[in-house]
Amino acid sequence: MGQDNNIPMEEPARQFYFMELAGKLREDKEKKIGRALTYHVTTFGCQMNARDSEKLSGILERIGYTCTEREEDADLVLFNTCTIRDNADQKVYGRLGYLHGKNQNKKERIIALCGCMMQEPSALEKIKKSYPFVNIIFGTHNVYKLAELICIQAESGHMVIDILKDTDLIVEDIPNLRKYPFKSGVNIMFGCNNFCSYCIVPYVRGRERSREPREILREIERLSEDGVKEVMLLGQNVNSYGRGLSEDIDFSGLLREVEKVEGIERIRFMTSHPKDLSDDLINVMKESNKICRHIHLPLQSGSNKILKRMNRSYTREQYLLLAQKLKREIPDIAITTDIIIGFPGETPEDVDDTIDVINKVGYDGAFTFIYSKRSNTPAADMPDQVSEEQNKREFDRVLKRVQEVARERAALRTGRIEKVLVEEINSNDPGLMTGRLSSNLVVHFKGDESLIGQIVDVKLKECKNFYYIGEMIQEGKN
Ligand code: SAH
Ligand code: SF4
Ligand code: F3S
């Protein structure tokens, strides 16, 4: 393989070459063992990772592996890891240990690790030392290279490690296997330049780079042709989309273009950094029939002292004005958020400020996290790290308030008829279907499988805290 002069240098042609080669290796092995080789991809972390996993699965399918539901049975197990908080790392170590304990005799099994945790030098060292049975390790910048790494590993028989510190390269047209036929994430940018002082993402995902608008639109057009009705535009800070591109385009400009794609009925995006949210974006949302009435607008803290130390570049007053403006201009909008409890130097009074913002904004939902120290981030060296005991107490206090407010907000929709994208059969009751409102709220209602992927009218009958029990309104009947 190393001497083959026919290996293309250009991407993605090079990877298609390796997908074919890996396919031949798989066929040989299957003949030898007399059965199909299986794979399982386990995803940790955020929507970005979920989308990367769809690409990884796409590559494995192209090679000809068969998907299996059971991780421990698979011939190729791939963990796409996250390292946003320490507990994300711990989960991966736990799963690796478990997997190794199971089926120790499965000598031929390939275990591959990729994703954000692999970009962290200390985690990588630990894996090399304590988990030497891992076969392939790669990072966030070379997801597209899986087939090539499989071939290299097959040839060498050793642990293959391929980590890039950063990259400008965006490889287009890699196959992908979508989890849902009717909705899909679409990367519009990669990396992050914001360096919030607690956050590891800029270190493990590299510098911010936007995808060319024509590539994004081409992907969305193809998705639409393939039956996709809802797209979720993905980036760590979608509001800064377009910086560094030769074309003069920003996020609202991109949204205007996505809106024109026929067949796409719903557009979502994630995540909006409050510091870059423009009036133009609010106007585009307001005028659009397709952009969902939901914005995820991470607050992190409601205390100016903490926001400053976090390097978030906005004050509580600016945030509140923004939330007010959103609600005034788009009255139906649901606002959700992320909150960190226990950032270094945080006092119960600072948490009071956070709760005050929760009350004033009236969030439809919030993810609350206890601060987790990430090595080499500025916050890790800050004095006044908060005690576990205070964290636990303050976390419970915030969570309680967040839940009360979200419950009140959800209940306001009782009796309304709303459009619902039907997503799946309810996992607890097969007579019920589960779908989402434009606001992202979940509703369960009587229906059958044939509705999956359709947008239907549902009357919201009974609010069960954070979701609804509804009734589908047949066409022509109200
Ligand atoms: N780019 C997004 C956030 C991505 S990370 C944004 O800026 O909003 C998702 C969430 O994880 C963050 O919003 C934050 O609330 C949380 N988070 C990030 N680093 C953390 C840390 N070190 N400890 C606890 N929570 C953290
Ligand atoms: Fe992390 Fe801040 Fe970038 Fe979000 S904007 S990914 S919180 S550094
Ligand atoms: Fe985790 Fe990486 Fe996402 S650290 S939250 S998977 S960008």
Side-chain angles (χ1 to χ4, degrees), residues 204-265:
V204 296
R205 287 266 170 183
R207 292 294 61 71
E208 181 181 289
R209 52 216 178 272
S210 292
R211 252 178 106 193
E212 291 291 340
R214 63 173 177 279
E215 296 290 357
I216 297 170
L217 291 166
R218 197 160 65 100
E219 179 175 349
I220 297 176
E221 279 157 14
R222 280 198 201 146
L223 288 168
S224 166
E225 282 160 18
D226 201 25
V228 166
K229 291 205 172 127
E230 178 180 300
V231 286
M232 162 88 90
L233 309 181
L234 299 172
Q236 292 300 348
N237 176 13
V238 291
N239 296 331
S240 66
Y241 173 78
R243 285 181 200 162
L245 287 177
S246 51
E247 198 170 319
D248 186 19
I249 184 165
D250 62 5
F251 184 51
S252 31
L254 179 72
L255 280 172
R256 286 196 173 93
E257 293 302 315
V258 176
E259 173 101 21
K260 291 184 200 152
V261 178
E262 246 175 79
I264 298 297
E265 295 183 42

Side-chain angles (χ1 to χ4, degrees), residues 136-300:
I136 300 174
I137 299 179
F138 56 113
T140 55
H141 301 300
N142 44 7
V143 161
Y144 64 91
K145 245 176 116 175
L146 175 60
E148 183 170 346
L149 299 175
I150 288 176
C151 293
I152 296 174
Q153 200 279 331
E155 194 175 67
S156 76
H158 296 135
M159 183 193 270
V160 171
I161 302 177
D162 190 19
I163 309 279
L164 304 175
K165 266 220 86 51
D166 205 347
T167 183
D168 293 330
L169 187 69
I170 298 177
V171 178
E172 299 288 349
D173 299 323
I174 291 295
N176 68 77
L177 179 74
R178 292 197 314 276
K179 190 169 168 205
Y180 297 96
F182 51 86
K183 68 171 185 178
S184 180
V186 174
N187 298 108
I188 63 164
M189 57 211 295
F190 301 94
C192 181
N193 283 356
N194 290 309
F195 290 96
C196 302
S197 63
Y198 49 82
C199 184
I200 201 159
V201 171
Y203 306 91
V204 296
R205 287 266 170 183
R207 292 294 61 71
E208 181 181 289
R209 52 216 178 272
S210 292
R211 252 178 106 193
E212 291 291 340
R214 63 173 177 279
E215 296 290 357
I216 297 170
L217 291 166
R218 197 160 65 100
E219 179 175 349
I220 297 176
E221 279 157 14
R222 280 198 201 146
L223 288 168
S224 166
E225 282 160 18
D226 201 25
V228 166
K229 291 205 172 127
E230 178 180 300
V231 286
M232 162 88 90
L233 309 181
L234 299 172
Q236 292 300 348
N237 176 13
V238 291
N239 296 331
S240 66
Y241 173 78
R243 285 181 200 162
L245 287 177
S246 51
E247 198 170 319
D248 186 19
I249 184 165
D250 62 5
F251 184 51
S252 31
L254 179 72
L255 280 172
R256 286 196 173 93
E257 293 302 315
V258 176
E259 173 101 21
K260 291 184 200 152
V261 178
E262 246 175 79
I264 298 297
E265 295 183 42
R266 281 184 164 186
I267 304 167
R268 298 184 184 276
F269 51 83
M270 187 117 141
T271 297
S272 274
H273 195 305
K275 80 178 165 64
D276 296 314
L277 201 154
S278 67
D279 285 350
D280 198 26
L281 174 64
I282 300 179
N283 284 334
V284 178
M285 289 183 80
K286 196 173 151 180
E287 289 159 11
S288 168
N289 296 321
K290 295 185 176 178
I291 302 175
C292 288
R293 278 12 198 170
H294 173 219
I295 191 156
H296 187 64
L297 196 64
L299 169 69
Q300 313 301 3

Side-chain angles (χ1 to χ4, degrees), residues 2-16:
Q3 287 81 33
D4 189 341
N5 289 329
N6 297 324
I7 302 177
M9 294 303 287
E10 293 289 310
E11 299 294 4
R14 184 179 172 86
Q15 294 314 312
F16 282 99

Side-chain angles (χ1 to χ4, degrees), residues 362-366 401-411 441 463 465-466:
Y363 289 110
D364 294 76
R401 191 59 200 137
V402 154
Q403 291 186 338
E404 284 164 359
V405 172
R407 217 175 279 144
E408 286 163 20
R409 292 277 310 161
L441 205 64
C463 182
N465 294 334
F466 310 115

Side-chain angles (χ1 to χ4, degrees), residues 358-396:
I358 295 170
N359 291 334
K360 288 195 167 117
V361 173
Y363 289 110
D364 294 76
F367 295 109
T368 43
F369 307 107
I370 289 183
Y371 167 73
S372 170
K373 196 170 172 171
R374 307 319 284 137
S375 52
N376 299 319
T377 58
D381 298 325
M382 287 183 187
D384 324 318
Q385 299 280 329
V386 179
S387 73
E388 224 172 280
E389 189 198 345
Q390 180 181 320
N391 277 344
K392 170 101 193 37
R393 200 173 53 234
E394 297 303 312
F395 179 85
D396 288 347

Side-chain angles (χ1 to χ4, degrees), residues 403-422:
Q403 291 186 338
E404 284 164 359
V405 172
R407 217 175 279 144
E408 286 163 20
R409 292 277 310 161
L412 293 176
R413 292 178 193 263
T414 309
R416 287 172 55 160
I417 296 171
E418 295 211 27
K419 297 254 176 261
V420 170
L421 174 60
V422 188

